[in-house]
Amino acid sequence: MRIGVEIPQRAEEPPFTSRCSRLTLLSATREDESPTLIFYQPLKGSGSKILVMPQQEEVTAHQCRGLILKCLCHGEVWNLTDVLEFFLLEFSEDPHLQPVLFGLFLSMYLVTVLGNLLIILAVISDSHLHTPMYFFLSNLSLADIGFTSSTIPKLIVNIHTHSKSITYAGCLTQVSLFALFGCLDSLLLAVMAYDRLVAICHPLHYPVSMSPRLCGLLVLVSFSFGLLDAQVHGIMASQLAFCSGVEIPHFFCEFPQLLKLACHYRSTNNILIYFLGAIFGGAPVSGILYSYTQIISSILRVPSTGGKYKAFSTCSSHLLVVCLFYGTGLAVYFSSAVSHSPKKDMVTSVMYTMVTPMLNPFIYSLKNRDIKRALWKLLSRMA
């Protein structure tokens, strides 16, 4: 039910109701279909509030879920998200800690980008590394660079400029890129597990089974699914409506947080999120578990201890990266479910979004002689 724009003037009416520049008249319908007049008032800083008329019930912007908002101040429907700006949560409000945080995150980001870039250049420059395993590793390094770059540069800029804001378009971009590279990371880890499965369990068929054409197709399919996941997240995020001045309790735009802060809530969004998680998260995990079940079973059948060690060493680095990636991801999930402290959730998320991609090059280079030899050759050429 739509409420008309013209409101009868009454003596007891608050004087600020006619000042549309500061207070916007909205028509809203609650989930129980009961019409309600509300006034939306932006406050200074990151705050905002909604005044529900005529009951004068005051609620915060975080409690406006279930309201379908239509701005009628000028007799037309506005898309509230067209003029929106979000505010991200800071790690610390202490001004003395800002230079320390800036230096810490900047150095970690540079190490992540440089380390993964060296892995890519080493694989490209050394012909001995032109094998399926290292082809997938170079693509994983590229995905790690994108995964970190989707969130950390904005965090570094905000710390440097003493700002907490992020534009609506920038927030949607973060949601899409984070979904794209997160999904790509997960799928590439599953593809690498399959590669190790074929190499250990069916070594004689490995050159034929893992042909260059199949390897390229697997990477292309992984990227396509990641792109699909990003598109779905971006479209769902763009359909949400928010109250002005919304503060996201995170250091980047995370889609579950946006769902909690949206002014209208649809259960289909949660259903779709769980469905995407089962497809793009559950399927790769199932593939990895199946691959390593077969790998361990095959290794246990090797009679000599040296043979078992040699077979396990070929997949130990990948197994460590898998444990680090999914372990920190589960830690983020359970931390947000158990703890209600946004600061603790942010610290846990740093492990997932920054520390894991930063450690991957070290894990593969320190435990792999071929990578170390290729890196030394590359660095000697550059010197």
Side-chain angles (χ1 to χ4, degrees):
M1 178 178 179
R2 179 164 173 165
I3 306 300
V5 179
E6 297 183 0
I7 306 296
Q9 298 294 323
R10 296 178 296 182
E12 65 273 11
E13 184 180 19
F16 53 73
T17 54
S18 61
R19 300 174 63 180
C20 290
S21 60
R22 296 183 59 186
L23 197 66
T24 305
L25 174 61
L26 301 174
S27 171
T29 304
R30 293 187 182 274
E31 290 178 338
D32 59 1
E33 300 299 328
S34 61
T36 306
L37 282 178
I38 68 170
F39 294 90
Y40 165 66
Q41 182 182 19
L43 302 179
K44 293 182 179 179
S46 61
S48 59
K49 66 180 180 180
I50 290 178
L51 302 176
V52 182
M53 304 293 287
Q55 295 87 353
Q56 294 291 332
E57 174 192 355
E58 183 173 311
V59 295
T60 65
H62 293 260
Q63 296 172 322
C64 61
R65 178 175 299 161
L67 297 177
I68 305 170
L69 304 181
K70 295 180 181 178
C71 185
L72 303 176
C73 183
H74 299 288
E76 60 180 343
V77 177
W78 289 354
N79 184 359
L80 299 183
T81 55
D82 285 343
V83 290
L84 209 69
E85 187 178 45
F86 296 101
F87 295 92
L88 301 172
L89 189 63
E90 292 181 311
F91 275 91
S92 174
E93 296 181 358
D94 187 354
H96 300 290
L97 275 179
Q98 299 305 312
V100 177
L101 293 174
F102 175 79
L104 175 64
F105 289 128
L106 179 60
S107 59
M108 292 175 68
Y109 178 68
L110 292 177
V111 169
T112 301
V113 173
L114 182 60
N116 284 285
L117 191 59
L118 284 175
I119 293 290
I120 296 172
L121 293 176
V123 172
I124 294 174
S125 62
D126 195 333
S127 59
H128 294 92
L129 299 183
H130 292 176
T131 62
M133 181 176 71
Y134 296 113
F135 173 71
F136 295 136
L137 175 59
S138 61
N139 281 277
L140 180 67
S141 296
L142 185 62
D144 282 339
I145 293 175
F147 187 62
T148 304
S149 300
S150 64
T151 57
I152 304 305
K154 181 58 180 176
L155 171 65
I156 295 172
V157 170
N158 280 3
I159 293 176
H160 181 66
T161 58
H162 306 287
S163 171
K164 300 192 299 181
S165 65
I166 182 172
T167 63
Y168 175 69
C171 188
L172 284 186
T173 302
Q174 274 198 348
V175 169
S176 298
L177 291 179
F178 187 78
L180 167 63
F181 291 109
C183 179
L184 184 58
D185 257 337
S186 181
L187 291 172
L188 285 176
L189 288 174
V191 169
M192 294 173 73
Y194 174 72
D195 172 72
R196 294 297 85 204
L197 168 66
V198 177
I200 294 175
C201 299
H202 311 284
L204 297 179
H205 300 284
Y206 183 75
V208 178
S209 299
M210 301 303 296
S211 62
R213 182 178 180 180
L214 178 61
C215 293
L217 182 62
L218 289 173
V219 172
L220 181 61
V221 169
S222 299
F223 180 78
S224 300
F225 278 120
L227 197 59
L228 176 62
D229 191 31
Q231 286 288 96
V232 174
H233 276 84
I235 291 173
M236 285 195 299
S238 66
Q239 301 302 312
L240 300 176
F242 302 90
C243 304
S244 181
V246 173
E247 183 175 87
I248 301 174
H250 218 307
F251 67 89
F252 69 96
C253 286
E254 189 182 35
F255 186 71
Q257 296 292 343
L258 293 181
L259 275 181
K260 295 177 182 178
L261 300 174
C263 288
H264 60 85
Y265 179 79
R266 296 177 181 175
S267 59
T268 53
N269 286 336
N270 263 344
I271 295 174
L272 191 54
I273 287 299
Y274 287 129
F275 177 76
L276 291 175
I279 296 297
F280 300 120
V285 170
S286 300
I288 291 171
L289 291 176
Y290 172 78
S291 296
Y292 274 101
T293 300
Q294 298 298 313
I295 288 172
I296 294 173
S297 176
S298 179
I299 290 176
L300 292 177
R301 289 197 297 266
V302 176
S304 64
T305 305
K308 291 179 181 178
Y309 176 79
K310 185 178 180 180
F312 183 76
S313 63
T314 61
C315 57
S316 58
S317 297
H318 175 260
L319 185 59
L320 184 58
V321 169
V322 167
C323 293
L324 195 60
F325 180 80
Y326 288 106
T328 52
L330 288 174
V332 171
Y333 176 79
F334 286 116
S335 174
S336 60
V338 176
S339 173
H340 298 287
S341 171
K343 296 286 186 181
K344 292 181 179 179
D345 295 342
M346 289 169 62
V347 173
T348 313
S349 295
V350 167
M351 294 291 297
Y352 181 67
T353 58
M354 183 177 286
V355 176
T356 299
M358 183 183 69
L359 292 179
N360 285 354
F362 294 99
I363 293 172
Y364 279 103
S365 60
L366 292 177
K367 296 183 70 63
N368 193 300
R369 294 179 181 178
D370 294 333
I371 289 289
K372 285 192 288 187
R373 183 176 63 249
L375 286 174
W376 278 117
K377 287 183 180 179
L378 179 64
L379 293 176
S380 62
R381 290 178 188 174
M382 296 173 61

